[in-house]
Amino acid sequence: MAPLFPFGHGLSYTTWEYEKLSVRPERGGLRVEFTVRNTGRRKGTEVAQVYVGPSAELKLDQPVRALAGYRRLTLEPGEAQQVVLDVDARALSSWDPERHAWVLGSGRREVFAGRSSRELHLTAKAVVNSR
């Protein structure tokens, strides 16, 4: 079943631009940075979201994209703000029912940033290192 509206829908009466996505390994997870700019004529609120794709190295059921973090921003017209989100190892892991434990999905992972799961304007790849 598909939801009628994605997470964060309907918060704003302005337009937004996402730019300059960078992703790097940090402290067993990933540090994700990008810029959000209010390109409209009104002050607005936006929920900037980061999703992570599955690990090819992990042989467990995984979502196509998992919400890994978000930040709520309120910006004036023309204003831009850099968003920095740390995605921890738990957000990069999947539950293994045989081990009864979370297992880190290491290897090359795709990272997305955007307005919602339906509007992911930026994409990058990063390597998640196993501990």
Side-chain angles (χ1 to χ4, degrees), residues 83-100:
V83 176
V84 178
L85 284 168
D86 288 323
V87 178
D88 63 14
R90 170 64 177 76
L92 298 167
S93 300
S94 293
W95 180 255
D96 186 336
E98 291 183 16
R99 290 186 192 169
H100 298 283

Side-chain angles (χ1 to χ4, degrees), residues 59-113:
K59 303 304 178 205
L60 296 170
D61 286 336
Q62 301 173 71
V64 174
R65 279 183 301 281
L67 180 64
Y70 61 92
R71 182 83 66 239
R72 185 174 187 210
L73 311 168
T74 300
L75 301 175
E76 297 291 334
E79 185 180 9
Q81 182 174 334
Q82 184 179 31
V83 176
V84 178
L85 284 168
D86 288 323
V87 178
D88 63 14
R90 170 64 177 76
L92 298 167
S93 300
S94 293
W95 180 255
D96 186 336
E98 291 183 16
R99 290 186 192 169
H100 298 283
W102 291 98
V103 179
L104 181 66
S106 58
R108 196 167 185 82
R109 304 285 295 264
E110 202 163 13
V111 178
F112 308 89

Side-chain angles (χ1 to χ4, degrees), residues 3-16:
L4 187 57
F5 300 105
F7 176 63
H9 176 81
L11 292 177
S12 184
Y13 293 100
T14 190
T15 55
W16 302 94

Side-chain angles (χ1 to χ4, degrees), residues 18-23 32-34 49-53 64-65 108-117 119-126:
Y18 284 67
E19 55 193 14
K20 301 176 188 167
L21 175 63
S22 70
V23 182
V32 180
E33 299 180 24
F34 57 96
Q49 300 168 40
V50 171
Y51 291 81
V52 178
V64 174
R65 279 183 301 281
R108 196 167 185 82
R109 304 285 295 264
E110 202 163 13
V111 178
F112 308 89
R115 303 193 71 203
S116 74
S117 61
E119 287 186 64
L120 296 168
H121 304 286
L122 304 175
T123 304
K125 294 188 187 218

